[in-house]
Amino acid sequence: MKNAKKVLALLLAVIMILGIGSVLAMGDNAANGSPSSEKTARFIILEGSENSMISECGELVIHISDETPIVFEDDIDVREALEEGQVLLEVLDGRKLVVTYSITTRSIPPQTTPEKIVVMYEVAVHLPIDINGEAEDGLGIEAPIGSLTLTEEELDEMYEVMQLNGEVVMFGELIDMPSPFLVRSTGRIDIMVPLRAIAEELGYDVNWDHEVQGVRLGASTNLWIGRDEYVVGRMAPVELGVAPALVDGVTFVPMTFFRDVLGYNIFSFEGQVVFTTPVEGEDM
């Protein structure tokens, strides 16, 4: 990777010395009033640069300004999501980006200041994965939604590879709460998350009934420890394939409870459990 960066940096330096890259010109699309162009590729930092990157294929150089909008797929602002000490270009380095632009230089490779950059999520796991059929939502790993079928051995391997770092991110904010954990059972993997902490962050009243070992959320959502039954109002119970569990006095539910019962987008990404906006069409 370092050698590739050096070669690309040298190439760009030669181009700039020759003066080819110094003339700005409207691209064909912009000149004709057509929509802006898009480039989807992995981009790496140009060595020695503080604001420039080049696509791994070497076809486009981008110069990122302080005004360039940069967001994740779910519209979370990347700059606002940076943790203390993180550098923007280092976060983008090697990531798959969708770059929108209109103006490029008449250089080889062309250069541009993007109108917008979208950072793609690439390893988003929507669980559970069922080996008896197709994956419910698929894996965001080079696989179309609904196309993945795994054997028990493959599930074992995935369980060993998957890691959780104990963090829960809700709508772009890291929330302090008991750590989620993985559960491996026959034919599936589930992520268990703390019910009360998450539900209260979402604005629900959470009430515990010791006699029946049950929990009520709000006015109409009920569940019970050890029972794979999740009831909303007078609707038939929803079965998620795994029951709520009581661990060290904390009630944990499968991650899919918040998606399939309450209607939130929730997935595991880079070790975190991540909430985004409610599922489209759900009335929250």
Side-chain angles (χ1 to χ4, degrees):
M1 179 70 75
K2 289 185 177 179
N3 289 336
K5 289 183 179 180
K6 289 181 178 178
V7 171
L8 292 171
L10 180 59
L11 174 62
L12 183 60
V14 171
I15 292 169
M16 296 301 291
I17 291 172
L18 293 175
I20 302 175
S22 61
V23 181
L24 286 175
M26 295 292 290
D28 291 338
N29 288 339
N32 296 328
S34 301
S36 300
S37 298
E38 281 190 357
K39 175 72 174 178
T40 301
R42 295 189 189 282
F43 282 77
I44 57 177
I45 301 171
L46 274 173
E47 191 155 330
S49 173
E50 296 183 355
N51 66 346
S52 300
M53 308 184 75
I54 186 168
S55 61
E56 284 191 334
C57 58
E59 295 179 351
L60 183 67
V61 172
I62 58 175
H63 304 293
I64 300 173
S65 73
D66 292 339
E67 288 73 39
T68 303
I70 307 175
V71 298
F72 291 106
E73 280 186 273
D74 52 11
D75 286 331
I76 294 175
D77 189 290
V78 174
R79 290 186 178 89
E80 293 180 0
L82 291 177
E83 298 179 4
E84 185 176 353
Q86 283 188 314
V87 178
L88 177 63
L89 255 63
E90 292 178 355
V91 172
L92 301 182
D93 191 29
R95 297 290 292 266
K96 184 180 291 185
L97 309 178
V98 180
V99 177
T100 303
Y101 62 96
S102 295
I103 302 175
T104 62
T105 61
R106 292 195 181 105
S107 63
I108 303 174
Q111 304 170 49
T112 189
T113 298
E115 298 170 2
K116 183 177 181 180
I117 297 174
V118 177
V119 183
M120 304 298 287
Y121 287 138
E122 297 181 73
V123 187
V125 182
H126 295 262
L127 300 178
I129 302 161
D130 186 355
I131 68 165
N132 297 318
E134 295 177 339
E136 283 196 4
D137 279 330
L139 277 172
I141 310 173
E142 307 299 333
I145 289 177
S147 69
L148 192 63
T149 301
L150 301 178
T151 65
E152 286 285 356
E153 291 74 17
E154 289 170 331
L155 274 177
D156 286 337
E157 292 178 4
M158 180 170 291
Y159 181 77
E160 292 298 323
V161 170
M162 289 182 63
Q163 297 290 330
L164 296 177
N165 60 17
E167 296 179 346
V168 177
V169 176
M170 302 185 67
F171 315 111
E173 182 179 355
L174 183 64
I175 307 297
D176 184 25
M177 62 180 62
S179 298
F181 59 90
L182 290 173
V183 171
R184 170 76 171 90
S185 56
T186 302
R188 60 189 293 144
I189 301 172
D190 288 275
I191 293 178
M192 303 295 287
V193 296
L195 175 63
R196 178 181 292 275
I198 293 176
E200 288 182 343
E201 284 290 334
L202 295 173
Y204 290 91
D205 290 326
V206 181
N207 295 287
W208 167 254
D209 188 329
H210 178 73
E211 289 188 9
V212 298
Q213 296 283 284
V215 178
R216 169 169 286 192
L217 269 64
S220 60
T221 302
N222 293 275
L223 52 100
W224 299 267
I225 301 299
R227 289 168 56 181
D228 184 18
E229 296 181 2
Y230 303 84
V231 179
V232 180
R234 297 184 179 181
M235 298 177 63
V238 176
E239 295 182 358
L240 298 176
V242 61
L246 196 61
V247 180
D248 295 331
V250 177
T251 300
F252 285 82
V253 294
M255 187 173 71
T256 46
F257 168 75
F258 288 97
R259 184 190 70 196
D260 296 343
V261 178
L262 298 186
Y264 287 88
N265 284 330
I266 178 173
F267 51 91
S268 173
F269 174 65
E270 295 185 347
Q272 297 176 324
V273 170
V274 180
F275 280 76
T276 58
T277 54
V279 175
E280 185 176 354
E282 293 285 348
D283 184 7
M284 297 308 296

